Amino acid sequence: MSDRFDFQTMLKAFRLGAMGYIIKEISCDRLVATLQLVAMGERVLPPQLADELQSRPTLTDALEIERPVDAASLSDRELEILRWLIMGCPNKVISKRMDISEATVKVHVKAVLRKLRVKNRTQAAIWAANHGMRGRVSEIEPAIPVEVTIPHPAQLPPLERLAAPLSRV
């Protein structure tokens, strides 16, 4: 647990075997959930890591990773698993979202780690983010199909205008 997010401290902690890096500003519910994940053997990354990875053009030097994404020869399924790892999702969440068993997720994660020549999920996520990959943002914020148009509340008939959610205004 740390007072603030510090990338180098986090890297050092994980290299020394830490299973999670938690910032003290975490809510009680999230702290309990995080500790449960760690107790199940999952590694937990702070959400600030995503911002840090995008702002570090020289992350390659810090992690001693020099291989392009194509050289890893990941299958489509392995790439999909890697995108979930970037988001810090545990195997249980990945298995539910992909509708596959946890055992299958573990097999894919091990293959990803082997092909990327990294030791753990954290290093795989950092490697992927450093090579331009992003997590499955579409799963969190689903895109509205192009053919769907949402009318402005002023365009709705008077009765429907009252039922329109405030978020559309």
Side-chain angles (χ1 to χ4, degrees):
M1 187 166 272
S2 180
D3 289 334
R4 62 182 176 78
F5 178 78
D6 179 60
F7 184 77
Q8 293 302 323
T9 302
M10 184 200 67
L11 279 180
K12 185 176 180 180
F14 279 111
R15 285 183 182 140
L16 293 173
M19 294 297 288
Y21 187 85
I22 304 168
I23 309 303
K24 283 186 180 179
E25 64 189 34
I26 192 169
S27 69
C28 291
D29 293 340
R30 288 189 61 207
L31 177 61
V32 169
T34 298
L35 293 175
Q36 288 172 338
L37 287 172
V38 169
M40 293 183 334
E42 299 295 336
R43 291 190 182 262
V44 180
L45 305 171
Q48 295 89 340
L49 178 60
D51 297 331
E52 182 71 21
L53 291 175
Q54 290 179 351
S55 69
R56 288 183 162 264
T58 60
L59 187 59
T60 303
D61 298 334
L63 298 176
E64 301 172 1
I65 299 171
E66 299 174 354
R67 297 177 307 280
V69 175
D70 295 340
S73 301
L74 297 176
S75 69
D76 289 341
R77 182 57 65 110
E78 291 165 346
L79 286 170
E80 190 172 1
I81 293 286
L82 186 54
R83 287 185 186 97
W84 287 109
L85 294 179
I86 292 170
M87 292 174 43
C89 293
N91 291 349
K92 182 177 268 188
V93 171
I94 297 170
S95 70
K96 286 182 180 180
R97 296 277 176 94
M98 292 181 66
D99 197 29
I100 58 178
S101 73
E102 279 188 70
T104 303
V105 172
K106 286 182 182 182
V107 168
H108 289 305
V109 169
K110 286 181 182 179
V112 168
L113 299 180
R114 186 184 73 250
K115 288 181 179 182
L116 296 182
R117 297 182 186 150
V118 297
K119 294 179 183 177
N120 56 51
R121 313 162 68 89
T122 303
Q123 290 178 356
I126 292 170
W127 184 95
N130 189 46
H131 286 84
M133 288 186 69
R134 293 185 180 241
R136 296 184 52 88
V137 177
S138 61
E139 292 291 327
I140 296 172
E141 301 175 78
I144 297 173
V146 176
E147 65 273 2
V148 175
T149 57
I150 300 174
H152 188 278
Q155 297 171 331
L156 297 173
L159 291 177
E160 288 183 49
R161 194 175 302 144
L162 293 174
L166 294 175
S167 62
R168 288 186 180 174
V169 177

